[in-house]
Amino acid sequence: MDDARIDCSASPLPNGDVLYYGRARMIDNGASTRIAYFRTPNLKITPYEEDGVPSTPVIMASIDGIQIGSSESMVVYGVNVQAEGPYTYFDINTQAVDGAEVPESLYWCNVTIIGTPLP
């Protein structure tokens, strides 16, 4: 799966967190759904309730269509976050607003992630 993942670009923030950003072509994974895969270096994902440290990452994703036929509105319905080895993986799941079949158009996922890197 690593071959399909987009490595996010990074910009350090003054508080020690890092802003990651990326853009990936959505992959067809159903008649009305698409998915995009991203990864960052390992980030803190432990809940605040477990360690008393504010939880990260914060994730913002948007979807856009860039060709004729990509007029179906897509919404993000799920974000999966998983830490494994030296990376944190992010799966952005989208679906057509009304569940209608989506034509084979190009849809892109734009993601911004603010996270606390682990040592």
Side-chain angles (χ1 to χ4, degrees), residues 21-102:
Y21 50 96
R23 179 173 170 86
R25 182 176 177 180
M26 302 292 296
I27 298 169
D28 184 346
N29 68 335
S32 66
T33 59
R34 300 289 184 271
I35 191 166
Y37 302 107
F38 298 92
R39 74 178 178 190
T40 66
N42 208 0
L43 300 177
K44 177 198 178 302
I45 61 171
T46 306
Y48 174 82
E49 294 77 15
E50 289 185 22
D51 64 7
V53 178
S55 295
T56 61
V58 175
I59 305 159
M60 193 282 296
S62 64
I63 311 304
D64 62 73
I66 61 167
Q67 74 179 48
I68 295 172
S70 60
S71 58
E72 192 69 42
S73 293
M74 303 287 281
V75 295
V76 174
Y77 73 85
V79 176
N80 299 319
V81 180
Q82 179 179 347
E84 188 175 311
Y87 298 106
T88 300
Y89 296 99
F90 299 87
D91 301 347
I92 310 296
N93 300 278
T94 65
Q95 183 170 11
V97 172
D98 58 3
E101 188 171 332
V102 179

